[in-house]
Amino acid sequence: MTRVVIVGAGYVGLTLGVAAATVGHDVKFVDTNVEIVKKLNSRQATFYERGLQEALDKHFGVTGPIAFHTVANLMSNADQTKTVFVVSLGTPIGKDQTADLTPIINVVDELAQWMGTNDLLVLRSTVAVGTSRKLLDTIDGLEHISFCPERTIEGKALEELFTLPQVISGNSDQAHPRQSLFGSIASDIVEASTLETAELIKLASNTFRDLNFAFANLLALIANKHEVNVNELIHHANFRYDRNVIANARSGGWPMLRKGCIFLAQSYDGPEARLLLEGRHLNENILGKAVNFCKERSRG
C-alpha cells in the first residue's frame, strides 16, 4: 500500500484517487474548492460517473477526513511514509493562447517543501511540451517526477483506468510508478523514453481526434453544398475498410481537445503548425455555420 495525495479533486483527480483506493492505496485529496472538500469528507460524489458513488462508499472509511483545503493541512500531521503526489490541476489558456502554468508551478513548489527524497511527483495535467522538465529544473527540492497523462473518457473513467494502457515517463528509476501506483491499477504500462515523449503522446492523441472531427465537419460542409447526406457518406466510406477511420461529424468536436491542439501547435514554430489551428478553428465555428445553413434552407 502506498500513500497517494491527489492535488486537484476534479474529474481527473477524483476518478484516479478512487481507482487507487479500490486496489488498496491510502488516498487523500487536496482541493481549494470548499464545497468539493465538504462533500468528499461526507463521502459524496461531486459529479456523476458510473460506479463512483458506490466506490466512495466501499473503499473510503466513514471516519476522518479524506479531503483537505491545503497541502499544509494534510501534511502537517503526516508521518514519513513514502508518498506519491499526483497533480491533476487544470491548465487554463491565457489571452495570448498559451498555457498558464502558474497554478501548477505554485502547487509543485509547495509540494516540494513537503517531499522527502523517496517521494514522487506525478504530473497528470495536460501541459505543453517541456513543462515537466521545466518544473524539475526550476523547483528546489523536486528530485523525482513522472508525467502520466490522463486518457479516459467521461462516463467510463473508472473502467478505463483499469483497462487502458497508462503512458509513463520519469526522470529517474524512482520516478516510474509501475510498482507504487499505476502498476497496481492499469492493465498495461507504456514506458515512454523521455518526459517530452510522454507529453507529446498526450497532445498527439487529443489532436488526432480533434483533426479527425475537423475533417468530418469539413466533409459536412462540402456534402451540404452538393446535397449529400454526410452521415451516409462517412458510414459507407468506413464500412469494412479498416484504412478509413473518419469520425462522425459533430458540432465543435470535443471542447476538451482544444488544449491539446493549441499546445501541440506551440511545440513547433514552423508554418506547418497552422494546419492544427485551422482544424481547431473549424471545429469551434462549425455550429455557427450549421445554424446559418439551416436559416438559409428555411428561407428557401
Side-chain angles (χ1 to χ4, degrees):
M1 179 180 73
T2 298
R3 181 168 63 193
V4 180
V5 175
I6 308 284
V7 183
Y11 181 83
V12 173
L14 183 55
T15 52
L16 175 60
V18 168
T22 299
V23 297
H25 296 297
D26 175 22
V27 178
K28 298 293 187 293
F29 301 94
V30 176
D31 200 289
T32 57
N33 187 302
V34 174
E35 194 62 29
I36 287 178
V37 171
K38 180 180 178 180
K39 286 187 174 182
L40 289 182
N41 283 332
S42 299
R43 278 55 173 180
Q44 298 179 44
T46 55
F47 51 84
Y48 176 76
E49 174 75 12
R50 187 170 58 200
L52 180 60
Q53 184 60 60
E54 293 81 356
L56 281 169
D57 293 337
K58 182 177 181 180
H59 298 291
F60 289 86
V62 296
T63 60
I66 62 171
F68 301 81
H69 296 302
T70 67
V71 176
N73 291 151
L74 168 61
M75 297 302 296
S76 58
N77 295 318
D79 58 29
Q80 298 301 310
T81 303
K82 178 181 177 180
T83 304
V84 175
F85 296 91
V86 181
V87 176
S88 58
L89 302 179
T91 46
I93 296 176
K95 294 181 180 179
D96 60 353
Q97 293 297 295
T98 61
D100 181 5
L101 297 176
T102 304
I104 290 178
I105 292 172
N106 289 342
V107 162
V108 175
D109 188 50
E110 181 181 4
L111 288 175
Q113 300 175 34
W114 297 97
M115 293 179 68
T117 56
N118 291 322
D119 292 338
L120 171 65
L121 180 85
V122 176
L123 185 56
R124 191 78 167 162
S125 305
T126 302
V127 296
V129 181
T131 299
S132 302
R133 190 80 57 189
K134 178 180 179 181
L135 294 173
L136 187 65
D137 292 343
T138 59
I139 295 181
D140 292 336
L142 181 60
E143 297 186 32
H144 308 291
I145 184 171
S146 290
F147 183 73
C148 308
E150 183 272 335
R151 309 175 79 195
T152 61
I153 189 171
E154 290 187 18
K156 297 182 65 177
L158 291 181
E159 173 188 338
E160 291 189 342
L161 280 164
F162 291 97
T163 59
L164 286 181
Q166 289 289 323
V167 175
I168 295 174
S169 187
N171 70 307
S172 65
D173 291 339
Q174 182 84 357
H176 287 283
R178 174 184 288 275
Q179 302 299 326
S180 62
L181 182 57
F182 290 97
S184 61
I185 298 173
S187 60
D188 199 7
I189 299 295
V190 178
E191 294 191 18
S193 59
T194 66
L195 292 165
E196 291 78 11
T197 301
E199 291 167 341
L200 272 170
I201 288 171
K202 169 65 173 179
L203 301 182
S205 298
N206 279 13
T207 305
F208 171 78
R209 295 178 63 207
D210 207 23
L211 291 182
N212 202 351
F213 291 137
F215 178 66
N217 287 329
L218 178 59
L219 280 181
L221 296 176
I222 296 171
N224 286 338
K225 180 178 180 179
H226 296 281
E227 298 185 347
V228 169
N229 185 312
V230 68
N231 293 320
E232 177 188 2
L233 184 163
I234 292 173
H235 173 75
H236 291 331
N238 285 341
F239 183 68
R240 293 178 61 185
Y241 196 62
D242 294 341
R243 282 169 285 188
N244 276 1
V245 287
I246 304 172
N248 291 323
R250 54 180 77 215
S251 298
W254 294 105
M256 71 280 291
L257 301 178
R258 176 172 179 255
K259 282 189 291 188
C261 185
I262 291 175
F263 292 170
L264 188 60
Q266 291 171 0
S267 302
Y268 182 70
D269 57 5
E272 296 84 359
R274 287 199 299 266
L275 169 66
L276 308 180
L277 299 178
E278 287 294 333
R280 177 93 295 265
H281 179 76
L282 174 59
N283 283 341
E284 290 177 348
N285 290 278
I286 192 66
L287 183 58
K289 292 180 181 293
V291 170
N292 291 336
F293 176 81
C294 292
K295 287 180 178 179
E296 291 174 3
R297 282 295 181 94
S298 64
R299 293 193 192 102

